[in-house]
Amino acid sequence: MTTGRPGSRKRPGTDEPAIEARGLVKSYGGPRVLDGLDLRVAAGTVYALLGPNGAGKTTTVRILSTLARPDGGTARVAGQDVVSGRRAVRRAISLTGQYAALDDAQTGEENLRMMGRLCGLSRRAARSRARDLLERFDLTGAAGRRAATYSGGMRRRLDIAAGLVGDPSVVFLDEPTTGLDPRSRKAMWDVVGSLAASGVTVLLTTQYLEEADRLADRIAVIDGGRIVADGTAAELKRRVADHRLDLTLTDAPAYHAVLRALGPRVVTRDDGRREIGVATDGSAAHVRALLDEIDPERVAVDRFAVHGATLDDVFLALTGDRPARSRAARTGHERKETRDV
């Protein structure tokens, strides 16, 4: 969604955030989806909203992109109030969701030229803008094909290209890589990187922790309709722990005994695998001290591993969500040191 005009973009001033929300409240006849959410996004940055399903990510994007009105609180995007300045906000933004909003019967180039005409461009200018965007998003070879024949990744790139016809200053990407294969997801990451490099502000919602870690200048963890943490990936990881000690216990009684002993220091747990993660500074002295405390008789711990804290740890610690065991730890992206006891 964009109705901006190329060349007419007015970006927020240096000190003015591109996006700012204060005390946003929203419900749909039941419990509050947003419960006093505060948000501040600097211009020209990539900002990721990370949280479990139902946390309020999409509702936040809908309000900021003027598709929904808040029940309480205020929000400004590109210097304009999302309620009183709704039209001005729409001229400054682009919104792309999980599903591409394209005309399948038209070719890729026709979709972009149509969007250009809707944005008020002349036929010649719309044609030129379409060709530029097709080249930028590596779609020139498919320009003459109907959008219905595009792969999922190609459709997503074309959808974002359509949103950029109007030269927006703020782009909202609501889980843009959901359902894409790894290669297409990587291509989308390159697109987001190029947007940021061009000075566009990007607010990204995602379920992929690796995606937020790789793309975002800052990350906000949202849970229960509120921002529960905000910072760079490194800052959030330090907030939880510099490192994590993963323990695999020998049997169920040992597992539950260690859980009780560690109490609130437990960062992650997997009951089925009898695995527990606990914060550590990563030093040999601290790891030895933890093992001596947890298993003084050296009979309860079967194996242990030490690795750097990840966004998985942040996510689990701050939201209380218990998805499958740390994905990053199973894909070899971490430095890990393992010992048999």
Side-chain angles (χ1 to χ4, degrees):
M1 173 181 64
T2 182
T3 54
R5 296 171 182 266
S8 66
R9 165 166 38 186
K10 181 181 179 181
R11 296 193 184 280
T14 303
D15 297 327
E16 183 180 5
I19 302 169
E20 186 172 28
R22 296 181 180 179
L24 284 185
V25 174
K26 184 66 178 178
S27 64
Y28 295 97
R32 287 181 173 181
V33 180
L34 299 183
D35 189 20
L37 180 137
D38 296 321
L39 189 66
R40 183 183 176 91
V41 180
T45 63
V46 178
Y47 193 96
L49 273 182
L50 185 64
N53 289 333
K57 301 189 299 295
T58 295
T59 297
T60 299
V61 170
R62 287 180 59 81
I63 289 174
L64 295 175
S65 60
T66 76
L67 294 181
R69 286 178 174 247
D71 297 331
T74 61
R76 298 177 68 82
V77 175
Q80 302 294 326
D81 186 274
V82 298
V83 177
S84 63
R86 185 175 179 223
R87 289 186 178 180
V89 171
R90 288 195 166 194
R91 285 194 294 269
I93 69 171
S94 170
L95 169 63
T96 298
Q98 299 179 38
Y99 305 102
L102 303 170
D103 185 340
D104 283 345
Q106 292 189 327
T107 67
E109 183 173 3
E110 287 170 344
N111 267 281
L112 297 184
R113 288 168 59 182
M114 177 186 68
M115 184 61 67
R117 296 291 286 159
L118 291 174
C119 288
L121 298 179
S122 67
R123 291 182 184 277
R124 182 176 180 179
R127 187 182 306 111
S128 176
R129 183 68 171 156
R131 290 173 179 171
D132 288 345
L133 288 167
L134 288 166
E135 182 176 357
R136 178 178 176 182
F137 287 90
D138 195 24
L139 291 169
T140 301
R145 286 170 44 192
R146 289 190 304 115
T149 68
Y150 281 22
S151 67
M154 292 170 65
R155 288 175 62 83
R156 207 69 56 84
R157 298 204 308 276
L158 181 62
D159 194 30
I160 293 178
L164 295 179
V165 169
D167 203 23
S169 63
V170 178
V171 173
F172 295 99
L173 301 178
D174 190 16
E175 301 191 7
T177 63
T178 295
L180 297 185
D181 60 69
R183 178 175 295 180
S184 297
R185 185 173 298 134
K186 170 62 169 58
M188 284 299 303
W189 290 353
D190 292 340
V191 167
V192 174
S194 70
L195 289 175
S198 69
V200 174
T201 303
V202 178
L203 190 146
L204 170 78
T205 72
T206 182
Q207 299 182 45
Y208 300 109
L209 304 179
E210 181 188 5
E211 187 163 271
D213 200 353
R214 174 165 178 162
L215 296 177
D217 297 299
R218 294 187 69 84
I219 299 168
V221 181
I222 182 172
D223 193 35
R226 291 174 176 265
I227 301 298
V228 296
D230 172 278
T232 65
E235 288 169 348
L236 293 177
K237 292 170 188 177
R238 286 196 298 269
R239 174 172 173 171
V240 172
D242 286 336
H243 291 78
R244 191 180 73 208
L245 172 64
D246 282 342
L247 306 165
T248 301
L249 286 306
T250 54
D251 54 32
Y255 173 75
H256 291 292
V258 171
L259 274 180
R260 289 192 298 270
L262 289 173
R265 289 180 290 171
V266 172
V267 176
T268 62
R269 58 183 285 185
D270 187 319
D271 296 345
R273 297 176 180 274
R274 301 192 306 274
E275 293 177 349
I276 298 172
V278 60
T280 174
D281 63 13
S283 69
H286 192 232
V287 170
R288 288 193 193 99
L290 281 171
L291 291 171
D292 287 342
E293 174 194 350
I294 293 165
D295 189 14
E297 302 299 325
R298 300 188 179 184
V299 295
V301 176
D302 182 35
R303 294 183 305 278
F304 74 87
V306 180
H307 64 81
T310 70
L311 279 183
D312 287 61
D313 301 324
V314 174
F315 189 82
L316 294 172
L318 296 179
T319 68
D321 198 277
R322 292 292 182 265
R325 191 70 180 86
S326 174
R327 290 179 292 278
R330 297 192 182 281
T331 54
H333 292 299
E334 301 166 331
R335 290 185 355 180
K336 178 177 280 192
E337 184 176 343
T338 305
R339 297 287 185 269
D340 289 331
V341 178

